[in-house]
Structures are given as C-alpha cells and as structure tokens.
C-alpha cells in the first residue's frame, strides 16, 4: 500500500492517505487542493477512537459539494459506482453546489496511525444503505439527498429508477 503522509500526531503517529486505492485517494486525484485543506483541518483537531468522522466549516468557500438535497421535482435514478455493489442515488440535471465544509473519515490502523479513508467537500452524511458503514439514519437521509450525475463513473447496466433499498 502506498502511504502519503499528511500530518504527524502528538504521539508520534502519522495521518496518511492511500492515494492509489482508497475513496479518499480517488477524490483527491480529482480535487488535489483538498490535501492542503485536510492538513489545515488536522492541525486543529486531535484524533481519537477507531473510526472518526470529522466535519469542519473552513470559514470560506473551499469547493463544490456533490451531495444535494432533493424534492419531488427532481428526476431520481440509482446506479452502482464502478467497482462497488452498493447503489448510489443520483438527481438528474442537478449541479454541484458551493460549500465551506470539509469532511474526513479516518480509521486507526494496527500500529496506531490514522488512514484517511474518505474525504469530500460538503457536510458529513451517512453511508448509502447496504454499505458496511450504513446506519439507522442512512435510508432516511438518502431518500431526501442525492449525488449530482457525472461525478463518479457508474456501471451503466445497473441504472434503475426503482429504489433498491
């Protein structure tokens, strides 16, 4: 695994991201400025716990969020992003919205270091229903929110208008 070190904690452990195979790495490849934002966020917090989700208002517009609130007026479809089995919800004809919020998901590894597994510009949200990290709030949240299209590569054969969850 390739570890790109982002910061060092007070206890001499590091915070890193796998730029090759993690969702965070994929996001950073499309939005490289996020590395600087993650470093800025990490300088102001202390990580503790095995899985940490941090949402921080950075005090300025830092990019666009791919997650939008939906209504009955939106045309909704579901599809599986490339290399996943879980369906995501998409809102047709919607566009990314400016955001001041950065979210990171960090997991402590076997030696006490933290891996940033996922990150995005926008508010923290529960995982999609069916994901291993889905919560009781996942289904309700994703019934009123969706991703904007053309942000992720999807498996075209999986596209459906029927809610799979």
């Amino acid at each position: 695994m390739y570890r790109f070190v982002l910061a060092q904690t007070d206890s001499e452990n590091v915070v890193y991201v796998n730029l090759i195979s993690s969702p965070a790495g994929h996001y950073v490849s499309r939005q490289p400025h996020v590395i600087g934002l993650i470093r800025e966020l990490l300088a102001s917090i202390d990580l503790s716990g095995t899985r940490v989700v941090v949402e921080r208002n950075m005090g300025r517009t830092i990019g666009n969020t791919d997650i939008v609130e939906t209504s009955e007026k939106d045309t909704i479809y579901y599809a599986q992003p490339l290399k996943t089995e879980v369906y995501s919800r998409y809102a047709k004809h919607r566009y990314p919205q400016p955001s001041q919020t950065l979210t990171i998901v960090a997991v402590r590894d076997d030696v006490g270091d933290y891996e940033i597994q996922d990150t995005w510009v926008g508010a923290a949200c529960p995982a999609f229903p069916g994901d291993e990290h889905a919560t009781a709030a996942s289904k309700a949240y994703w019934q009123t929110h969706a991703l904007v299209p053309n942000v992720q590569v999807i498996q075209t054969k999986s596209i459906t208008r029927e809610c799979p969850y």
Side-chain angles (χ1 to χ4, degrees), residues 46-120:
D46 289 322
L47 295 175
S48 62
T50 56
R51 184 173 190 271
V52 183
V53 178
V54 179
E55 173 188 303
R56 175 67 46 92
N57 184 323
M58 303 300 282
R60 64 194 184 280
T61 300
I62 58 170
N64 293 321
T65 181
D66 301 331
I67 302 169
V68 294
E69 194 166 345
T70 59
S71 69
E72 315 78 49
K73 297 176 185 176
D74 287 304
T75 303
I76 302 296
Y77 66 94
Y78 303 85
Q80 295 170 312
L82 194 62
K83 299 181 182 177
T84 66
E85 297 297 320
V86 178
Y87 279 82
S88 295
R89 187 173 191 255
Y90 297 90
K92 217 173 181 183
H93 307 297
R94 294 294 299 271
Y95 302 96
Q97 302 294 310
S99 178
Q100 297 185 356
T101 307
L102 179 68
T103 299
I104 65 168
V105 178
V107 176
R108 186 187 301 249
D109 66 15
D110 296 337
V111 296
D113 294 336
Y114 279 94
E115 178 184 359
I116 304 294
Q117 288 191 330
D118 207 351
T119 188
W120 60 89

